[in-house]
Amino acid sequence: MGKQNLFLTLVLIGLLFVGCSSKTAPSSQHTSPQNTTQQSDQFLDDFEAEFEDELSKSEEQYFQSDPFEGYNRMMTSFNDKVYTYVFIPIAKGYKAITHEKVRESIENFFSNLFTPISALNNLLQGKLKQSGTELSRFVINSTIGVVGLFDVAKNQFDIQQKKEDFGQTLAVWGVGSGPHIVVPFLGPSNLRDIVGFFPDSYINPIDYHSSRGYN
């Protein structure tokens, strides 16, 4: 994957992380406009808490008997500075200039793009019903939901997301997580999930479209 595609992937993951950092109510409960506003007010608090939680896990849990301890400590310190001086200011600016509904539509759009990846991984895990659910979500949101800007499948048909990735597929196949590794910009991970990232990237619609465009 080229540098341009890798950078774009990191940006998309960051946007999805920012959008998903606010915890949503269970599907059986209806969220009132007042509750939606309250959730929006917690946008930055949840964003910062998520990173702080990951960083504390790195320090307290992962560095014991860590074969990559020196690297992981260095990368954790690097990520901490990036989160503090780059990601959080960007998140604040993003919230300040972007209406909540627009942020939600952006999150829906990119989430919909990754739905085929989830459908395939559900299939590889033997979860045929969940794979069909993801495909149904993709078709509904790509059409009625205006290329995924609106999550019609969830809001109108109560079809809930069944997200899976290749790292989870490897876990189902019995592959161990391997050593803890801190990924630049993305934070704590493990060898299995890093390996799983590459097969997912090959069927990522954005990367596939970009690579086809250069042929």
Side-chain angles (χ1 to χ4, degrees), residues 2-3 10 23 39 43 52 54 75 115 148 150 161 177 188:
K3 292 181 179 179
L10 291 173
K23 304 298 185 288
Q39 290 176 356
F43 177 84
E52 289 175 358
E54 292 298 336
M75 190 53 62
T115 303
F150 304 98
Q161 188 177 38
S177 62

Side-chain angles (χ1 to χ4, degrees), residues 122-139:
N122 272 292
L123 182 63
L124 292 174
Q125 295 174 30
K127 301 175 181 178
L128 302 184
K129 183 177 180 180
Q130 291 189 188
S131 180
T133 296
E134 288 293 85
L135 288 176
S136 298
R137 282 180 50 82
F138 182 71
V139 171

Side-chain angles (χ1 to χ4, degrees), residues 39-109:
Q39 290 176 356
S40 178
D41 290 341
Q42 295 179 352
F43 177 84
L44 292 175
D45 290 341
D46 291 340
F47 179 77
E48 295 182 19
E50 192 84 25
F51 282 131
E52 289 175 358
D53 180 59
E54 292 298 336
L55 291 169
S56 66
K57 285 181 181 179
S58 299
E59 292 289 346
E60 296 173 5
Q61 299 177 17
Y62 297 132
F63 286 149
Q64 296 180 353
S65 302
D66 181 0
F68 303 115
E69 179 178 355
Y71 162 81
N72 285 335
R73 287 187 180 275
M74 177 189 68
M75 190 53 62
T76 296
S77 178
F78 170 78
N79 283 346
D80 190 14
K81 292 180 174 60
V82 172
Y83 298 153
T84 301
Y85 299 110
V86 180
F87 284 179
I88 291 178
I90 289 176
K92 290 180 179 179
Y94 178 60
K95 179 187 176 184
I97 65 176
T98 310
H99 190 274
E100 178 188 359
K101 293 298 183 182
V102 176
R103 296 200 305 267
E104 182 179 343
S105 291
I106 292 174
E107 177 190 343
N108 289 338
F109 174 77

Side-chain angles (χ1 to χ4, degrees):
M1 183 167 48
K3 292 181 179 179
Q4 182 180 15
N5 290 342
L6 177 59
F7 175 76
L8 181 57
T9 300
L10 291 173
V11 171
L12 296 182
I13 292 173
L15 284 174
L16 288 174
F17 183 88
V18 170
C20 293
S21 62
S22 298
K23 304 298 185 288
T24 56
S27 59
S28 60
Q29 298 178 356
H30 296 284
T31 305
S32 66
Q34 181 179 2
N35 289 336
T36 301
T37 302
Q38 291 174 348
Q39 290 176 356
S40 178
D41 290 341
Q42 295 179 352
F43 177 84
L44 292 175
D45 290 341
D46 291 340
F47 179 77
E48 295 182 19
E50 192 84 25
F51 282 131
E52 289 175 358
D53 180 59
E54 292 298 336
L55 291 169
S56 66
K57 285 181 181 179
S58 299
E59 292 289 346
E60 296 173 5
Q61 299 177 17
Y62 297 132
F63 286 149
Q64 296 180 353
S65 302
D66 181 0
F68 303 115
E69 179 178 355
Y71 162 81
N72 285 335
R73 287 187 180 275
M74 177 189 68
M75 190 53 62
T76 296
S77 178
F78 170 78
N79 283 346
D80 190 14
K81 292 180 174 60
V82 172
Y83 298 153
T84 301
Y85 299 110
V86 180
F87 284 179
I88 291 178
I90 289 176
K92 290 180 179 179
Y94 178 60
K95 179 187 176 184
I97 65 176
T98 310
H99 190 274
E100 178 188 359
K101 293 298 183 182
V102 176
R103 296 200 305 267
E104 182 179 343
S105 291
I106 292 174
E107 177 190 343
N108 289 338
F109 174 77
F110 287 117
S111 179
N112 187 61
L113 285 181
F114 292 115
T115 303
I117 299 175
S118 181
L120 178 58
N121 280 292
N122 272 292
L123 182 63
L124 292 174
Q125 295 174 30
K127 301 175 181 178
L128 302 184
K129 183 177 180 180
Q130 291 189 188
S131 180
T133 296
E134 288 293 85
L135 288 176
S136 298
R137 282 180 50 82
F138 182 71
V139 171
I140 292 172
N141 289 339
S142 297
T143 54
I144 305 176
V146 191
V147 297
L149 292 176
F150 304 98
D151 194 348
V152 177
K154 176 182 177 181
N155 297 330
Q156 301 299 324
F157 298 97
D158 196 27
I159 303 177
Q160 303 297 321
Q161 188 177 38
K162 306 295 182 182
K163 187 175 181 180
E164 298 286 346
D165 58 44
F166 196 69
Q168 293 167 306
T169 297
L170 291 175
V172 170
W173 291 352
V175 178
S177 62
H180 163 71
I181 301 176
V182 180
V183 182
F185 306 112
L186 303 182
S189 185
N190 56 64
L191 184 59
R192 180 185 64 206
D193 288 344
I194 291 175
V195 171
F197 171 80
F198 292 98
D200 285 342
S201 70
Y202 279 106
I203 55 177
N204 181 337
I206 297 175
D207 291 324
Y208 178 75
H209 180 271
S210 299
S211 63
R212 294 275 293 185
Y214 288 115
N215 290 336

